[in-house]
Amino acid sequence: FINACKAVLLNFGNLAVDEANQDENLAAKVKQIAAEAEVVATQIYGQGMDVREQQDRAWAEETTSIFDLEQLEIEAEQRGEEVPWAN
């Protein structure tokens, strides 16, 4: 969705939405829609986390993080092995 909004802004952002109201362009509408979509997504999925918060949550919940999986994958490749999730 974000990439679609960026593409619209890049390609059509300077177009007017309404011929009578030249002050309101497509870019303003797309930004308004994106802001509303962000509010809805936050209500559904909760507040986003940065990398450190994700790692801390994985540690607290005793789950495997993507960084752990990456390290296991690198070590397996160095040994000439293939990890189960490679396929």
Side-chain angles (χ1 to χ4, degrees):
F1 178 75
I2 292 171
N3 288 336
C5 288
K6 287 179 181 179
V8 169
L9 288 173
L10 181 65
N11 295 315
F12 307 105
N14 63 342
L15 295 176
V17 174
D18 184 7
E19 294 292 327
N21 185 5
Q22 292 293 324
D23 294 332
E24 189 171 284
N25 62 19
L26 186 59
K29 284 289 191 189
V30 170
K31 289 176 183 178
Q32 179 184 3
I33 291 167
E36 291 175 14
E38 182 179 8
V39 170
V40 171
T42 302
Q43 289 173 346
I44 294 171
Y45 299 108
Q47 194 64 28
M49 294 184 284
D50 64 18
V51 174
R52 172 58 67 187
E53 291 169 331
Q54 290 174 359
Q55 182 69 21
D56 291 345
R57 180 179 175 191
W59 177 262
E61 294 177 2
E62 298 179 3
T63 60
T64 304
S65 75
I66 59 168
F67 303 107
D68 296 334
L69 294 175
E70 177 189 33
Q71 186 60 39
L72 290 172
E73 190 171 339
I74 291 169
E75 291 171 3
E77 287 177 359
Q78 290 173 347
R79 291 190 306 266
E81 299 173 359
E82 189 172 304
V83 291
W85 58 87
N87 291 337

